[in-house]
Amino acid sequence: AQSVTQPDIHITVSEGASLELRCNYSYGATPYLFWYVQSPGQGLQLLLKYFSGDTLVQGIKGFEAEFKRSQSSFNLRKPSVHWSDAAEYFCAVYRSNDYKLSFGAGTTVTVRA
Amino acid sequence: EAGVAQSPRYKIIEKRQSVAFWCNPISGHATLYWYQQILGQGPKLLIQFQNNGVVDDSQLPKDRFSAERLKGVDSTLKIQPAKLEDSAVYLCASSLISTGYQETQYFGPGTRLLVL
């Protein structure tokens, strides 16, 4: 079964500091991976996605993610966080057998001044 | 371009009552999804429509949940009777089609349901 694990439930980071959110997947073939962000009271917004090619993917809001097949990881990074980045972040994998998105449990990011 | 619309945004009911949620997808999107997001978990797919037909409802608790998508546009999700464990955020999403992994799902703001 294709699944996603986000090891960190909650991360606190200072404004201006760097951020890295971890995502591990289990899938036999080439995975199709996504990062979504959910701000308080809002729906999910797509940050970026990886299908193939360059393993470093650029997204919106200054985020990037790196696909590492050897580590089965797709970690999300931002060099300098802003207070508006406080939200919940979800990693997801596309299941090619039934065309479904399978989400991780999410990581909540708190930004302190 | 207007996004996915959902209403109501919040709903509080007592157990054994019924409740209905409404979703209006992005214009032209053939595929519509309903997800349940329990606190502390990622969204879980309940049902998926392609136009007005059901593609997958394997995770829908059919003894109490029902959904329809009339005319292939708006959709309604109903719970009757509600249980305490139904307290969650119900997210609606839409995409152009469903069989392409490159098709991005666009999510609405969700309906927060609290069952007392």
Side-chain angles (χ1 to χ4, degrees):
Chain A
Q2 302 160 42
S3 67
V4 175
T5 302
Q6 294 181 247
D8 304 304
I9 297 174
H10 189 201
I11 287 180
T12 299
V13 60
S14 298
E15 192 169 15
S18 64
L19 173 68
E20 181 167 12
L21 304 181
R22 295 183 291 165
C23 172
N24 296 102
Y25 66 89
S26 63
Y27 184 44
T30 300
Y32 304 122
L33 298 158
F34 305 79
W35 274 101
Y36 282 85
V37 60
Q38 186 175 33
S39 298
Q42 303 297 315
L44 277 72
Q45 181 183 23
L46 181 68
L47 285 175
L48 46 80
K49 55 189 177 184
Y50 171 79
F51 297 143
S52 64
D54 193 347
T55 56
L56 187 61
V57 180
Q58 301 297 320
I60 62 171
K61 304 186 179 187
F63 284 92
E64 65 178 24
E66 186 171 12
F67 170 64
K68 292 185 178 180
R69 184 184 299 277
S70 61
Q71 299 177 18
S72 298
S73 68
F74 187 56
N75 293 349
L76 181 72
R77 300 193 294 253
K78 186 169 183 177
S80 176
V81 299
H82 186 261
W83 63 266
S84 60
D85 294 323
E88 191 159 19
Y89 292 79
F90 293 93
C91 184
V93 63
Y94 179 82
R95 304 189 322 220
S96 56
N97 57 332
D98 60 4
Y99 309 114
K100 302 292 188 294
L101 271 181
S102 178
F103 287 88
T107 298
T108 300
V109 173
T110 298
V111 180
R112 60 183 174 213
Chain B
E1 177 183 86
V4 177
Q6 290 187 247
S7 68
R9 293 295 307 276
Y10 305 92
K11 190 75 177 178
I12 301 174
I13 62 173
E14 294 186 349
K15 61 183 179 183
R16 291 188 288 273
Q17 287 186 324
S18 63
V19 65
F21 313 129
W22 173 82
C23 173
N24 181 243
I26 293 173
S27 178
H29 280 195
T31 307
L32 185 147
Y33 313 78
W34 282 103
Y35 288 86
Q36 181 191 57
Q37 185 180 14
I38 293 173
L39 187 64
Q41 299 180 20
K44 182 188 79 172
L45 182 68
L46 290 175
I47 188 168
Q48 177 182 337
F49 292 93
Q50 180 82 6
N51 296 309
N52 61 350
V54 175
V55 173
D56 182 6
D57 63 358
S58 58
Q59 299 299 307
L60 189 73
K62 298 180 188 62
D63 58 332
R64 298 184 298 106
F65 285 66
S66 64
E68 60 182 6
R69 189 182 184 195
L70 300 177
K71 301 180 181 178
V73 182
D74 294 7
S75 177
T76 302
L77 176 69
K78 297 179 181 178
I79 307 175
Q80 182 179 8
K83 291 185 176 181
L84 298 177
E85 58 261 37
D86 297 331
S87 294
V89 176
Y90 291 85
L91 294 165
C92 179
S94 69
S95 65
L96 280 172
I97 60 174
S98 67
T99 56
Y101 58 84
Q102 298 184 40
E103 288 300 329
T104 297
Q105 293 187 25
Y106 296 87
F107 286 80
T111 297
R112 295 180 179 275
L113 173 68
L114 178 60
V115 182
L116 301 176

